[in-house]
Amino acid sequence: IGLAGFVPLAALAAYLELPWLLPAALALFVVAPETCVAYLTARDKARKEAQVPKAVETLCVAMRAGNNLYYSLARAAQEVGPPLGHDLKRALDRFSVAGDMASALGELRQEVSSRRLQELLDTLIFDLEEGVAGTPGEVERLESFLESVKQEASMRRELTTRTAGTRFNLRLVSLTIPGTVLLVAVTDSSLLGPLLTSPLGKMSLSLTVVAYLGTLNGPLQANNGTVS
């Protein structure tokens, strides 16, 4: 990802003989991978959080019908689909090899970062260790857990609606600096003349643009976090 941004920009700098673009290319090489990984990780975590209610509901229906935990998890994995479905299928594959469902779910619990998914796995592991997996008592605990998840989802939607205006205002404010600079450049080019003509000024301007884009991306990444 870093090379995908660095190589074209560096080649453009060499072709146009603009060495002041090289610091911007180097900064892009350093910043782009971390930003992309953070975004993809947060998106994957949010998608799994959103799939937990459907997975728990499927588990409850399957267990109420008298199915064992293995079949119920397989049914939940099929119903929810990726990415959570892939995690559940991976745990079932481990169970097929090792023959220990609690151990398979415990390994999955160590791999995932979704808080609600961790709580679900903790409940299933506890019931397995206590020998009450698949009993009416476990189904009742899962249904109680499902209600709490639905309440949190409702609060999340309400909070998202309230913060939509705030996010818009943040993005609007973030455009103030480049908008002001552009206005000054249009009305009086002599003010930016020394900055655009000297190599040091061009280098400073390119680094400033990269740093500005990084600060603009901060609020966007924060929106992918979870609500406590």
Side-chain angles (χ1 to χ4, degrees):
I1 295 173
L3 288 176
F6 173 78
V7 173
L9 194 55
L12 181 64
Y15 178 76
L16 298 178
E17 298 181 354
L18 300 174
W20 54 272
L21 278 178
L22 289 177
L26 182 60
L28 186 62
F29 174 75
V30 174
V31 173
E34 181 180 355
T35 301
C36 291
V37 169
Y39 169 75
L40 293 175
T41 301
R43 186 184 66 174
D44 183 72
K45 180 179 179 181
R47 290 177 64 188
K48 290 180 182 179
E49 290 275 357
Q51 289 179 314
V52 168
K54 186 176 181 180
V56 177
E57 189 171 359
T58 305
L59 279 174
C60 292
V61 172
M63 289 182 176
R64 286 285 188 192
N67 298 295
N68 59 26
L69 180 58
Y70 180 89
Y71 178 84
S72 300
L73 285 172
R75 182 66 178 174
Q78 181 180 1
E79 287 292 330
V80 300
L84 178 55
H86 289 167
D87 289 342
L88 296 178
K89 289 180 180 179
R90 188 165 66 251
L92 295 176
D93 291 340
R94 290 171 177 169
F95 167 73
S96 300
V97 174
D100 187 350
M101 181 63 79
S103 176
L105 294 178
E107 292 180 12
L108 177 60
R109 201 263 186 230
Q110 297 297 323
E111 296 172 356
V112 299
S113 59
S114 168
R115 179 175 59 86
R116 278 305 189 183
L117 180 55
Q118 289 176 347
E119 293 175 358
L120 172 61
L121 294 173
D122 287 339
T123 301
L124 297 176
I125 293 171
F126 175 81
D127 290 340
L128 285 168
E129 293 175 344
E130 294 296 320
V132 294
T135 63
E138 181 182 37
V139 177
E140 291 177 0
R141 282 189 293 274
L142 288 176
E143 290 176 343
S144 177
F145 174 74
L146 177 61
E147 288 300 320
S148 66
V149 171
K150 289 182 177 180
Q151 290 178 3
E152 181 178 335
S154 177
M155 293 175 60
R156 188 192 300 273
R157 287 192 296 268
E158 183 179 354
L159 181 61
T160 301
T161 302
R162 291 181 178 181
T163 56
T166 303
R167 291 199 301 269
F168 174 78
N169 292 335
L170 285 174
R171 292 168 183 169
L172 185 62
V173 171
S174 66
L175 294 176
T176 302
I177 298 177
T180 303
V181 173
L182 180 62
L183 180 62
V184 171
V186 171
T187 55
D188 190 355
S189 58
S190 63
L191 295 177
L192 294 179
L195 183 64
L196 297 177
T197 54
S198 65
L200 181 61
K202 293 177 180 179
M203 184 182 303
S204 302
L205 182 61
S206 63
L207 291 176
T208 301
V209 170
V210 172
Y212 167 74
L213 292 177
T215 58
L216 177 60
N217 190 51
L220 302 183
Q221 288 190 23
N223 292 334
N224 291 320
T226 57
V227 180
S228 300

